[in-house]
Amino acid sequence: MNIALWILVLGYASLPVELVLAPVPSVASAVGQLGPARPNTRWAVRHLLPAVVAVAAFAWPAVLVVWHALSPATCPAAPAGPTLAAVGATLVVLGRAATLWAVAALRRPRPPGTCITWGPYAFSRNPALMGLHVFLLGGVTLFPAWPSLLALAVFVAHMHRRVRTEEQHLGETLGDAYARYRAHVPRYLPGTPW
């Protein structure tokens, strides 16, 4: 296995550590959406099934690494050549760094009900998620194939739905402070309307 794929594996290995040591509180998370609701068939179709599909899509590059290591002949995608591998590994590292920076900013002590506007949150309302998108884009770049692109699209679409749920909650919780923040900082990318 080449160094770029090892970087991807280490990136994935860092995810559970982050989730255990510094979980991001979110009403839009799978756990957050359990809330007071009683799981039933409708809830499962609306929340659980999309979450499972999104996690599978997010894990797809890691699955390809293992699949290719065990049986390269049957793997549906071949690892990228050296140039794309370097780009993919760079995206993986940048994505993880951006997410960890955002989580560190989120974990800074602050008074309850304070809208976070410092660090990466001065440029994007969802910098941790943007880091995850860049990380996944790096994984897709390391194994370029249509199933990888489909997995990226599924994950991004699902997470956009969760972002909208989170924004509604923050608007209700933080009121005018969040409305002002939302008016000045884009949802995802600096310099864009979204």
Side-chain angles (χ1 to χ4, degrees):
M1 188 162 47
N2 67 38
I3 186 122
L5 297 184
W6 276 111
I7 289 171
L8 181 63
V9 168
L10 291 173
Y12 273 104
S14 72
L15 292 167
V17 173
E18 173 195 332
L19 291 174
V20 169
L21 296 180
V24 175
S26 171
V27 298
S29 71
V31 173
Q33 293 194 1
L34 275 172
R38 248 201 171 104
N40 56 33
T41 303
R42 184 171 179 241
W43 177 88
V45 169
R46 183 177 172 147
H47 298 291
L48 187 61
L49 182 61
V52 168
V53 170
V55 167
F58 187 76
W60 180 247
V63 168
L64 289 176
V65 169
V66 173
W67 193 338
H68 189 268
L70 296 175
S71 179
T74 64
C75 188
T83 303
L84 272 183
V87 170
T90 301
L91 289 171
V92 166
V93 170
L94 291 175
R96 289 304 296 141
T99 297
L100 294 174
W101 182 32
V103 169
L106 187 63
R107 289 289 175 203
R108 265 182 53 191
R110 66 185 186 279
T114 302
C115 190
I116 302 168
T117 60
W118 53 81
Y121 292 90
F123 309 104
S124 170
R125 296 194 312 260
N126 297 283
L129 179 59
M130 293 310 301
L132 282 176
H133 289 346
V134 170
F135 170 79
L136 184 56
L137 181 60
V140 168
T141 303
L142 288 168
F143 277 98
W146 72 265
S148 300
L149 292 173
L150 180 61
L152 176 63
V154 166
F155 182 75
V156 168
H158 175 71
M159 294 310 290
H160 176 70
R161 181 175 153 264
R162 285 188 169 193
V163 163
R164 293 184 60 182
T165 300
E166 187 75 24
E167 285 179 342
Q168 180 180 353
H169 170 74
L170 290 171
E172 293 166 1
T173 305
L174 301 175
D176 290 341
Y178 186 71
R180 285 189 302 275
Y181 172 66
R182 190 175 173 172
H184 291 35
V185 177
R187 178 181 281 153
Y188 297 120
L189 298 173
T192 67
W194 33 268

